[in-house]
Amino acid sequence: MKKNGFWHEIKKNKVLYAMFLPVAIYYILFAYIPMGGIVLAFKEFNYRDGILFSPWNGFKNFEYFFASGRAWLVTKNTILYNLAFLAAYTVFSVACAIFIAELAGKIFKKFIQSVMFLPYFVSWVVVAAMMYNFFNYDYGLINTLIKNLGGEPIDIYSNPTYWYFLLPMLYVWKWVGYGSVLYLAAIMGFDEECYEAAIIDGANIFQRIFYITIPMLKPTMIILILLALGRILRGEFDMFYQIIGNNGLLLDYTDIIDTLVFRSLMQVQDIGMASAAGAYQSVLCFVIIMFVNWLVRRYDKDYALF
Amino acid sequence: MRKGKDYILFNIIGYIFITIIGLFTFIPFVVLVVSSFASENYIINHGYTLIPREFSLSAYKLIFQNPQRIFRAYLVTIIVTSVGTSLSLFLSTMAAYVMYRKDVKYRNTLAFFLYFTTLFNGGLAPYYIILANYYHLKNNVLVLILVPLFNVFYILILRNFIRGSIPDSLIESAKIDGAGDFTIFLRIVLPLSKPALASIGLFIALNYWNDWWTPMMFIEKQSLYPLQYTLYLILSSVNVAANILQNVVRIDMPKESLKLAMTVVATGPIIFLYPFVQRYFVRGITLGAVKG
């Protein structure tokens, strides 16, 4: 047997490979096999014949999906919302991290960090309930306040334009605690000497932030943004589904690929449409990741994901 | 250090900014808890409030009047969360340890094998059909444990943590002393990874506790509904809520405060976990949280 062959390696480290086995089996069963199910997009599925033996129907499912007129709408919504989320999230997380790192007052910082982390702990189901408490027309907190001040209450749940701002705000609300910890951790790892040298040279705190902290945060930011760009077509199904649900008034403004797929599968039982939309999403997603990665590789190899 | 004008200015801006963010994240929770103790009448007449003016336990009484369903949901959630979290944490760390060992020739291949699943998948429809029709996981409590079981990023974070905090020489010397690979993992790697285990464990536990998606997809049997899904059903329809609480539909049922009280009940316990792991937090997720 060859000394550095495949089987030799497996045999040499058999305990280690065996230790990896549970995770490997899980991913084969729950990720790789369902991946093969993408053929469903080209089939007319029926439960009797199953995925393997259902008859092929070429690109019919895709034709139907694109003819429905929603393909472009949901793609646009998905991408634009996720870009807005990403921009707002990055700005707020970085700002919070910088302030928390530099502010005086240890106890205050500890306390505020815990408070900022609270939303991370609750499910979107709970967030949707809170959202409703704040914004519902009859007795929501905001409208109660407006009425007490003598104004006209606003009906947010039937007014689509508000959601362009509300959803990114909500996204920041939910994730800013987590994001700021990621950036704060990076800041904690920076070399103190840079700052000391800058202080000796007479840099004030704003100069230190703009010329040391932010440039040094760039690699972390780039990688986190890259990771998020990879998910740009699969963004926040939980949030959209729980908060908007099937509110027909808002659907055109807030329908994303994930909610469309979910509705076609679970409510309309339209498996053809659901698989075509899902396959479209997967392929597009893959292309975007590859493209972004290629772009970054060209710019600086160290930042690339793989 | 001298504290110049810039420092004072910075602190003023910083305190204002951070306080505003803090209020934004905190107030909704206050409203939730306070309003859940308000009476239905008060909510209908005055709306939700920040400052309590009336104290009523009626919503909580209603929830615990017929507590079987709620306790059942609690039981399902607690079992699924504890079994799932321990299983996931142990197996994830084990896989991370394998990918960290430099003498494993295919460690990068293994990492890519995992990473690839985040790049590409078959979509929701095949996933659903394969789990439901081929693995027969529909209405099976196992599905609640299996679907959220692993997260590739957590495994990679764990690997980077081990790589950054456990020196190779330690493993080497343990080997010379005659420890097997698995023993090294149990005796050295696991105990030394405590900060990462605490924070990743919390994330995993949260995923389980807050999971409403899996039961919505795969569970139809009411006895297997976990907490969040029960909450979701109550929120989306008060008539369903009446059924869930095994209550004959009563006109005077406190619908609004019931929803709030149920939200508090479903959220409570998991938040108490946070203080216990907070001190590990920054250290735990940082060490290479970023790059896979």
Side-chain angles (χ1 to χ4, degrees):
Chain A
M1 194 189 279
K2 263 188 4 211
K3 236 318 194 225
N4 44 17
F6 176 75
W7 290 112
H8 177 76
E9 161 71 13
I10 299 286
K11 234 172 134 180
K12 193 183 82 187
N13 284 322
K14 55 180 183 297
V15 178
L16 288 170
Y17 285 105
M19 285 166 78
F20 190 80
L21 212 56
V23 172
I25 291 172
Y26 176 86
Y27 276 100
I28 289 170
L29 286 177
F30 286 85
Y32 283 93
I33 290 178
M35 232 178 252
I38 205 162
V39 292
L40 205 60
F42 307 95
K43 291 198 166 198
E44 195 179 326
F45 181 78
N46 63 64
Y47 281 98
R48 192 166 30 84
D49 297 328
I51 293 180
L52 281 179
F53 301 107
S54 287
W56 297 92
N57 72 349
F59 285 92
K60 281 257 175 58
N61 291 331
F62 288 94
E63 276 166 33
Y64 183 54
F65 170 53
F66 286 106
S68 74
R70 291 201 86 77
W72 167 237
L73 175 84
V74 290
T75 310
K76 188 187 74 180
N77 279 347
T78 310
I79 291 178
L80 289 182
Y81 272 117
N82 278 298
L83 283 178
F85 294 163
L86 183 57
Y89 167 77
T90 307
V91 169
F92 277 94
S93 303
V94 170
C96 285
I98 290 176
F99 280 127
I100 291 174
E102 302 275 347
L103 278 184
K106 247 197 159 127
I107 298 168
F108 174 78
K109 289 197 300 195
K110 271 256 143 62
F111 175 73
I112 214 77
Q113 257 191 300
S114 308
V115 167
M116 275 166 61
F117 233 104
L118 274 181
Y120 184 86
F121 282 79
V122 297
S123 67
W124 281 110
V125 182
V126 171
V127 179
M130 291 184 178
M131 183 79 191
Y132 185 76
N133 300 342
F134 264 72
F135 291 109
N136 91 66
Y137 188 76
D138 295 316
Y139 20 81
L141 189 72
I142 303 278
N143 278 331
T144 311
L145 217 68
I146 292 176
K147 272 186 275 187
N148 285 345
L149 296 173
E152 272 295 301
I154 36 177
D155 191 1
I156 287 167
Y157 280 92
S158 54
N159 213 327
T161 39
Y162 288 114
W163 294 91
Y164 290 128
F165 302 99
L166 274 179
L167 289 173
M169 255 173 65
L170 210 59
Y171 185 89
V172 170
W173 181 81
K174 182 99 162 71
W175 300 124
V176 71
Y178 181 75
S180 60
V181 166
L182 286 184
Y183 286 109
L184 190 62
I187 293 175
M188 294 303 187
F190 292 165
D191 200 349
E192 277 293 317
E193 281 173 29
C194 278
Y195 290 95
E196 279 159 24
I199 291 170
I200 291 166
D201 285 346
N204 70 30
I205 194 160
F206 295 100
Q207 285 164 330
R208 293 205 297 271
I209 287 167
F210 283 104
Y211 297 113
I212 302 177
T213 309
I214 292 179
M216 293 217 312
L217 268 182
K218 222 171 81 184
T220 314
M221 275 161 77
I222 290 179
I223 286 173
L224 290 178
I225 289 171
L226 272 184
L227 284 173
L229 282 179
R231 296 183 35 85
I232 200 158
L233 287 172
R234 291 190 221 283
E236 293 306 309
F237 165 77
D238 288 47
M239 171 176 169
F240 284 94
Y241 187 80
Q242 288 297 344
I243 288 171
I244 315 277
N246 296 316
N247 185 338
L249 288 167
L250 303 176
L251 214 51
D252 276 352
Y253 299 83
T254 57
D255 206 9
I256 55 169
I257 303 179
D258 281 320
T259 47
L260 177 77
V261 171
F262 187 83
R263 272 203 321 274
S264 348
L265 183 67
M266 301 308 283
Q267 281 152 20
V268 201
Q269 305 273 320
D270 186 346
I271 288 167
M273 174 103 145
S275 346
Y280 163 77
Q281 180 187 31
S282 285
V283 171
L284 208 58
C285 201
F286 188 67
V287 171
I288 288 179
I289 295 171
M290 287 305 170
F291 176 70
V292 171
N293 193 57
W294 172 81
L295 213 66
V296 175
R297 256 184 118 74
R298 266 186 42 157
Y299 171 68
D300 184 341
K301 229 176 152 194
D302 285 344
Y303 292 162
L305 290 172
F306 46 86
Chain B
M1 198 167 76
R2 275 183 306 113
K3 287 183 177 157
K5 256 194 207 134
D6 58 299
Y7 187 78
I8 296 165
L9 180 66
F10 175 84
N11 268 286
I12 293 171
I13 299 174
Y15 270 107
I16 293 173
F17 181 79
I18 294 291
T19 308
I20 290 174
I21 299 264
L23 287 177
F24 257 103
T25 46
F26 197 48
I27 286 178
F29 290 93
V30 178
V31 174
L32 174 70
V33 175
V34 167
S35 301
S36 72
F37 288 108
S39 70
E40 185 71 7
N41 249 331
Y42 186 84
I43 292 180
I44 287 171
N45 292 326
H46 303 277
Y48 296 113
T49 44
L50 202 54
I51 310 131
R53 255 166 271 174
E54 210 178 287
F55 186 78
S56 144
L57 280 174
S58 59
Y60 289 94
K61 273 192 196 129
L62 186 64
I63 289 180
F64 292 106
Q65 190 179 45
N66 273 306
Q68 296 93 328
R69 293 276 162 86
I70 298 299
F71 282 146
R72 177 103 203 158
Y74 250 111
L75 195 69
V76 172
T77 299
I78 288 172
I79 290 174
V80 165
T81 304
S82 46
V83 173
T85 307
S86 28
L87 201 63
S88 170
L89 203 54
F90 184 75
L91 296 178
S92 298
T93 318
M94 200 154 78
Y97 162 69
V98 174
M99 289 189 294
Y100 142 81
R101 286 282 298 258
K102 288 212 173 56
D103 44 345
V104 173
K105 190 175 152 196
Y106 297 114
R107 62 185 186 282
N108 290 328
T109 317
L110 295 180
F112 192 77
F113 167 81
L114 297 184
Y115 186 63
F116 185 74
T117 61
T118 66
L119 299 180
F120 191 79
N121 69 47
L124 186 61
Y127 187 76
Y128 174 77
I129 290 166
I130 284 172
L131 261 62
N133 294 2
Y134 290 80
Y135 301 164
H136 302 289
L137 285 173
K138 202 153 187 177
N139 282 325
N140 186 336
V141 71
L142 268 181
V143 81
L144 295 174
I145 292 175
L146 286 174
V147 168
L149 189 57
F150 296 118
N151 180 318
V152 176
F153 291 111
Y154 297 162
I155 300 179
L156 295 177
I157 290 173
L158 285 166
R159 180 198 58 178
N160 290 1
F161 181 87
I162 298 173
R163 192 151 65 191
S165 62
I166 299 176
D168 289 342
S169 52
L170 197 61
I171 309 283
E172 288 301 322
S173 65
K175 253 185 168 166
I176 292 166
D177 288 346
D181 293 323
F182 189 69
T183 319
I184 295 176
F185 169 68
L186 273 188
R187 293 283 182 75
I188 298 176
V189 175
L190 270 187
L192 286 178
S193 309
K194 240 166 75 188
L197 293 181
S199 34
I200 299 293
L202 177 70
F203 291 154
I204 298 173
L206 276 178
N207 286 348
Y208 276 111
W209 190 274
N210 286 337
D211 186 20
W212 56 274
W213 185 85
T214 314
M216 174 131 130
M217 295 285 287
F218 295 104
I219 304 286
E220 277 160 3
K221 250 202 302 209
Q222 209 169 45
S223 59
L224 292 178
Y225 286 168
L227 213 49
Q228 298 292 328
Y229 189 56
T230 309
L231 171 64
Y232 167 73
L233 292 176
I234 289 182
L235 293 177
S236 49
S237 157
V238 179
N239 291 332
V240 178
N243 277 329
I244 282 173
L245 295 170
Q246 290 180 325
N247 216 320
V248 196
V249 185
R250 279 161 33 194
I251 310 295
D252 61 337
M253 199 174 88
K255 293 175 193 163
E256 291 308 319
S257 47
L258 173 75
K259 289 181 187 173
L260 295 170
M262 186 56 207
T263 313
V264 173
V265 168
T267 311
I270 198 77
I271 286 189
F272 290 113
L273 264 184
Y274 179 60
F276 295 104
V277 287
Q278 194 193 12
R279 65 203 174 100
Y280 293 120
F281 238 64
V282 173
R283 199 145 65 99
I285 28 182
T286 31
L287 272 160
V290 213
K291 196 159 180 180

